[in-house]
């Protein structure tokens, strides 16, 4: 067994433990918040949380790819905003325009993601700076495109994706879980997945072992962007209207969801299933602090404390270093 | 407080100034923004020293990234074009940066403009540079957001506390003085929402129970998510107080999604809520709107005050304007069914100008 294989196996084990830890945290927070505010225990509120979590959830799945390579993607917020603006302005409330609008958004996202990947791998810019720059360009593009005055609205059939249900479960939740399972399969059961973990755990060793590190990294940024666009499209279907501030909250919550899920920002540790838990946890926490009567300031502080505490606790539980 | 008389904008003057007769016919029964607005003078009168025109006027805009600002700029550009005394109108964009705006104002001073209009990013940060401009003989007219001290020539704006109180009183009355409400504001910690909400709480009946006050960032998406949680927590919500109607629209959409009846809601002149009201009022007998704009055209009055001073005339130190109330009785005059949700419908602009701004 090569050292590389053993380290990536160890990383996988740590990731599996962390995945368990975040789900314990999700259940623990749910029980505690429900005891304080029984409204949290209603079936309808549980579904509401899972519906709202799906937007962050899909976006955070994308972030997980980049974090697994040891990078970070701060351009997801810009992708979400631009997706919302482009989708509503192309749809103009007409079902006939849905396909072209969705394709345009995914095409923009793919280009931005590949650009991020190339900036990081070929040109060698730190991921933090490269993606923050891309984010600024994307947000600027949304401003230039709209002149500050966004127009258009989602098409009625498209809004059903965001607001409809199947067997009582919100559509966005089902789509999120389907994408989540597909991404879990991609990272766990394919060669690409093994390359991804290997790249993040030790880039040089992976390269020497024949992993196409650069292509894997570019693919990770492209997937991150595409999933940010998918999350942005779901959010647009849920809201129905354009808003230039719509992506802002995801700049950091997407990363928080991945980290709360137990991924290491140094790369090579983390899992899609755990990120799903991380997104549920962050949304649950938001929802709980919305329900209890606290000011926004207190809400931000409580959220900050609980995120840090949860990371410390899962770290102890999993023995993972992050 | 001086006995400054109410200034009523003449509709005819506006039409003569900016529109032809064809446009007049096309406008039909549409309400013009300035129609019926009252301006209340506060503080001593300020007298200008007459200067020969035409004047060069600068506008240090704090930032330009939303539809309110886009419409405010368009309103000022139209007014500048329609005013023969104004020879040049220069707009600088502070890009949301406090320091950039200060240096923008310096730039305007160096260009020796005759007057500077400002929407301040920070009422304290621009105060010294505006004082410097005023001391150099430039007319300085901040509007919309107040500037600290009195080192500026004249100010135009609304009174957020009074507006909030008017909306609070309307909501309280709409509920017959009794009921449970939630309040949704703008950005956390902003002074505009704080003043409005303070006014609202004082104006509401004692039997109005406030279930929650939450920040909703003046955005539909944030409001819908927050409201969905409040709906879970409170089985009965009889009314919603907001100082922006994007938030009101998001809150109503959350009620719709939860299968709850729509209720009386306050806000401003955001087209999205008017459209929603028009579409849903038939299905929801309790749905009602009490709205008051933060007028996108208020800069026009700052510009006119500046020109008056440049011509040697007098204006009050501060002019506080009270926009007209938009309710179920007159909302059709404001509703723009064919224009985007983002339009602020209490506007001085024509549908053609709005379509150009929103590229609709």
């Amino acid at each position: 067994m090569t050292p590389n294989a053993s380290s990536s196996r160890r990383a996988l084990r740590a990731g599996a433990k962390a995945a368990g830890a975040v789900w314990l945290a999700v259940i623990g927070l749910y029980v505690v918040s429900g005891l304080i505010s029984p409204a949290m225990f209603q079936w309808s509120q549980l579904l509401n949380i899972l519906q709202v979590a799906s937007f962050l959830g899909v976006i955070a799945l994308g972030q997980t790819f980049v974090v697994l390579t040891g990078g970070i993607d701060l351009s997801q917020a810009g992708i979400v905003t631009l997706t919302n603006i482009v989708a509503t302005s192309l749809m103009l409330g007409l079902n006939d325009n849905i396909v072209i609008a969705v394709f345009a958004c995914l095409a923009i996202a793919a280009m931005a993601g590949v650009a991020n990947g190339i900036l990081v791998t070929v040109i060698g810019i730190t991921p933090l700076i490269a993606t923050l720059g891309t984010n600024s360009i994307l947000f600027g593009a949304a401003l230039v495109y709209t002149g500050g005055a966004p127009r258009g609205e989602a098409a009625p059939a498209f809004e059903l994706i965001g607001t409809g249900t199947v067997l009582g479960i919100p559509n966005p939740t089902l789509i999120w879980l389907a994408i989540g399972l597909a991404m879990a399969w991609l990272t766990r059961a394919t060669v690409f997945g093994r390359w991804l973990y290997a790249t993040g755990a030790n880039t040089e060793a992976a390269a020497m072992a024949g992993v196409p590190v650069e292509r894997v990294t570019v693919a990770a940024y492209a997937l991150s962007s595409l999933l940010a666009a998918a999350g942005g499209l779901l959010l647009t279907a849920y809201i129905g209207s354009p808003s230039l501030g719509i992506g802002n909250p995801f700049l950091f919550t997407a990363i928080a969801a991945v980290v709360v899920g137990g991924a290491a920002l140094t790369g090579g540790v983390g899992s899609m299933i755990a990120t799903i838990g991380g997104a549920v946890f962050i949304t649950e926490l938001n929802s709980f602090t919305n329900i209890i009567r606290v000011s926004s300031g207190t809400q931000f502080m409580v959220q900050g404390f609980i995120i840090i505490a949860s990371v410390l606790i899962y770290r102890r539980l999993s023995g993972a270093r992050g | 407080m001086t006995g400054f008389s109410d200034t009523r904008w003449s509709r005819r003057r506006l039409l003569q100034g900016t529109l032809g007769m064809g446009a007049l016919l096309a406008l039909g029964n549409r309400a013009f923004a300035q129609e019926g607005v009252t301006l209340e003078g506060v503080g001593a009168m300020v007298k200008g020293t007459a200067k020969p025109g035409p004047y060069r006027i600068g506008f240090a805009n704090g930032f330009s990234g939303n539809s309110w600002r886009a419409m405010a700029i368009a309103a000022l550009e139209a007014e500048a074009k329609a005013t023969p005394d104004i020879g040049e109108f220069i707009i600088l964009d502070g890009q949301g940066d406090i320091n950039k705006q200060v240096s923008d104002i310096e730039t305007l001073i160096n260009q020796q403009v005759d007057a500077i209009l400002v929407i301040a990013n920070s009422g304290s940060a621009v105060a010294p540079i505006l004082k410097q401009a005023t001391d150099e003989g430039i007319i300085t007219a901040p509007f919309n957001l107040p500037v600290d001290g009195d080192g500026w020539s004249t100010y135009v704006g609304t009174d957020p506390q009074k507006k909030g109180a008017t909306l609070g009183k309307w909501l309280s009355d709409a509920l017959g003085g009794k009921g449970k409400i939630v309040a949704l504001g703008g950005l956390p910690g902003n002074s505009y929402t704080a003043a409005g909400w303070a006014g609202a709480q004082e104006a509401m009946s004692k039997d109005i129970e406030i279930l929650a006050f939450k920040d909703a960032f003046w955005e539909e998406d944030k409001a819908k998510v927050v409201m969905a949680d409040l709906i879970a927590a409170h089985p009965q919500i009889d009314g919603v107080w907001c100082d922006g109607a994007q938030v009101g629209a998001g809150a109503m959409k959350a009620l719709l999604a939860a299968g709850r009846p729509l209720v009386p809601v306050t806000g401003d002149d955001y087209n999205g809520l008017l459209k929603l009201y028009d579409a849903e009022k038939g299905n929801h007998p309790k749905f009602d709107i009490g709205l008051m704009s933060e007028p996108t055209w208020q800069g026009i009055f700052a510009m006119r005050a500046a020109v008056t001073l440049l011509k040697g005339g007098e204006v009050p130190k501060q002019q506080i304007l009270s926009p007209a109330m938009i309710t179920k009785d007159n909302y059709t005059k404001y509703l723009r069914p064919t224009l985007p949700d983002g339009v602020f419908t209490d506007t001085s602009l024509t549908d053609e100008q709005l379509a150009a701004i929103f590229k609709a």
Side-chain angles (χ1 to χ4, degrees):
Chain A
M1 191 194 292
T2 65
N4 181 37
S6 103
S7 80
S8 66
R9 196 157 301 172
R10 212 167 39 237
L12 268 177
R13 259 202 313 275
K17 277 193 200 161
V22 70
W23 285 105
L24 284 179
V26 164
I27 293 164
L29 176 65
Y30 187 66
V31 170
V32 170
S33 61
L35 290 175
I36 295 171
S37 176
M40 292 289 283
F41 283 151
Q42 295 167 44
W43 178 242
S44 60
Q45 177 60 358
L46 182 64
L47 291 180
N48 175 42
I49 291 173
L50 291 176
Q51 179 167 22
V52 171
S54 64
F55 317 122
L56 172 62
V58 170
I59 297 163
L61 288 171
Q63 186 71 238
T64 309
F65 282 104
V66 171
V67 170
L68 281 174
T69 68
I72 195 163
D73 186 354
L74 296 179
S75 69
Q76 285 189 307
I79 291 282
V80 172
T81 298
L82 195 57
T83 296
N84 170 255
I85 296 295
V86 169
T88 48
S89 72
L90 290 183
M91 275 186 215
L92 293 171
L94 301 173
N95 288 343
D96 288 349
N97 298 340
I98 293 175
V99 173
I100 181 82
V102 168
F103 268 103
C105 292
L106 294 179
I108 292 169
M111 283 189 287
V114 169
N116 277 336
I118 289 172
L119 287 173
V120 169
T121 55
V122 180
I123 306 182
I125 301 175
T126 316
L128 186 92
I129 303 301
T131 58
L132 200 56
T134 309
N135 187 56
S136 181
I137 292 169
L138 292 167
F139 185 69
L143 270 183
V144 170
Y145 179 59
T146 59
R151 68 190 155 130
E153 57 184 318
F158 189 70
E159 283 188 35
L160 275 184
I161 297 172
T163 56
T165 58
V166 173
L167 299 174
I169 310 291
N171 290 341
T173 310
L174 295 171
I175 293 169
W176 169 36
L177 295 180
I179 296 177
L181 291 176
M183 296 305 122
W185 173 80
L186 184 63
T187 49
R188 282 299 163 80
T190 66
V191 175
F192 172 73
R194 280 205 299 283
W195 285 349
L196 192 69
Y197 278 92
T199 300
N202 188 335
T203 311
E204 282 160 23
M208 278 193 286
V211 174
V213 170
E214 289 191 352
R215 270 189 288 154
V216 168
T217 307
V218 172
Y221 280 95
L223 283 164
S224 174
S225 257
L226 283 168
L227 287 169
L233 286 168
L234 284 180
L235 187 54
T236 302
Y238 175 70
I239 299 298
S241 59
S243 164
L244 285 164
I246 200 163
N248 295 351
F250 299 103
L251 182 63
F252 293 116
T253 52
I255 294 154
V258 175
V259 171
V260 167
L265 288 176
T266 45
V269 177
S271 88
M272 293 294 166
I273 302 297
T275 293
I276 293 176
V280 175
F281 184 87
I282 302 264
T283 311
E284 225 180 352
L285 187 54
N286 257 322
S287 175
F288 173 51
T289 48
N290 273 337
I291 285 179
I292 55 173
R293 297 180 66 149
V294 294
S295 70
S296 293
T298 315
Q299 197 168 342
F300 292 147
M301 283 167 57
V302 169
Q303 288 173 6
F305 278 125
I306 294 187
I307 288 170
I308 292 171
S310 70
V311 170
L312 291 176
I313 292 166
Y314 89 70
R315 234 201 244 175
R316 277 199 90 95
L317 287 175
S318 65
R321 278 169 292 129
Chain B
M1 188 93 107
T2 64
F4 183 70
S5 65
D6 288 350
T7 305
R8 284 180 192 278
W9 246 62
S10 147
R11 178 171 181 167
R12 189 181 302 143
R13 188 206 165 273
L14 182 87
L15 292 173
Q16 285 170 340
T18 60
L19 304 165
M21 281 307 289
L24 173 62
L25 293 174
L27 286 164
N29 67 343
R30 190 133 289 162
F32 255 116
Q34 308 86 331
E35 204 178 334
V37 68
T38 57
L39 281 170
E40 187 188 4
V42 178
M45 295 300 280
V46 182
K47 191 168 167 26
T49 314
K51 263 189 182 181
Y55 307 117
R56 296 172 66 235
I57 295 189
F59 174 33
N61 187 19
F63 108 120
S64 61
N66 62 31
S67 49
W68 193 94
R69 295 290 175 123
M71 289 179 62
I73 291 169
L76 278 173
E77 282 174 335
E79 175 74 5
K81 216 178 210 176
T83 309
D85 294 316
I86 298 176
E88 193 185 352
F89 182 51
I90 307 159
I91 302 172
L92 298 178
D93 184 351
Q95 298 171 353
D97 182 338
I98 292 171
N99 297 319
K100 165 124 179 18
Q101 188 173 34
V102 171
S103 90
D104 284 350
I105 296 171
E106 266 170 6
T107 306
L108 290 171
I109 296 174
N110 292 335
Q111 292 187 12
Q112 297 181 314
V113 295
D114 298 301
I116 298 175
L117 310 181
V118 184
I119 303 181
N121 280 336
S122 157
S124 51
V126 299
I129 187 77
L130 277 190
K131 183 170 187 319
Q132 188 191 321
T134 313
D135 290 347
E136 291 184 23
I138 297 172
I139 299 298
T140 52
F143 68 97
N144 181 227
L145 297 171
V147 170
D148 293 2
D150 60 357
W152 32 268
S153 312
T154 181
Y155 171 79
V156 173
T158 60
D159 178 343
Q161 181 147 1
K162 200 170 133 194
K163 274 177 60 186
T166 307
L167 296 179
K169 173 85 170 49
W170 177 88
L171 184 60
S172 178
D173 291 348
L175 300 177
K178 194 168 162 38
K180 298 177 176 184
I181 67 152
V182 297
L184 300 171
L187 294 171
N190 85 83
S191 57
Y192 182 87
T193 299
W197 179 229
Q201 284 170 285
E202 277 174 28
M204 288 188 295
S205 144
K206 294 282 167 281
D207 294 326
I208 297 288
E209 186 188 339
I210 296 155
L211 300 170
F213 171 87
K214 288 285 164 193
D215 297 306
F217 297 79
W218 289 312
E219 284 175 18
E220 236 186 275
D221 52 304
K222 314 282 187 303
K224 187 173 177 186
V225 168
V226 169
M227 188 68 181
D229 287 327
L230 295 177
I231 288 169
H234 305 289
Q236 185 191 345
I237 298 174
D238 303 315
V240 182
W241 181 93
C242 318
D243 63 348
Q246 297 101 317
V247 168
M252 294 302 110
K253 286 180 182 176
L255 284 171
L256 280 178
R260 294 261 203 112
L262 300 184
V263 297
V265 61
T266 68
D268 61 14
D269 53 333
Y270 174 69
N271 199 23
L273 183 58
L274 294 181
K275 284 187 189 174
L276 187 71
Y277 178 72
D278 197 53
E280 295 290 344
K281 63 175 180 171
N283 307 326
H284 297 267
K286 286 193 173 165
F287 192 15
D288 201 356
I289 44 172
L291 313 170
M292 192 178 258
S293 70
E294 180 59 38
T296 50
W297 39 265
Q298 57 190 286
I300 290 177
F301 289 92
M303 185 176 260
R304 304 189 91 217
V307 171
T308 304
L309 290 174
L310 287 168
K311 293 170 93 172
E314 281 193 343
V315 294
K317 184 73 180 174
Q318 296 183 53
Q319 297 185 74
I320 305 303
L321 53 89
S322 303
M325 202 65 191
I326 304 171
T327 64
K328 61 174 186 283
D329 299 324
N330 65 355
Y331 83 96
T332 50
K333 289 194 208 169
Y334 294 89
L335 176 70
R336 257 63 174 183
T338 59
L339 287 173
D341 286 5
V343 171
F344 289 101
T345 57
D346 178 10
T347 177
S348 59
L349 302 168
T350 64
D351 281 11
E352 291 74 23
Q353 287 168 319
L354 289 170
I357 293 171
F358 288 85
K359 301 179 188 79

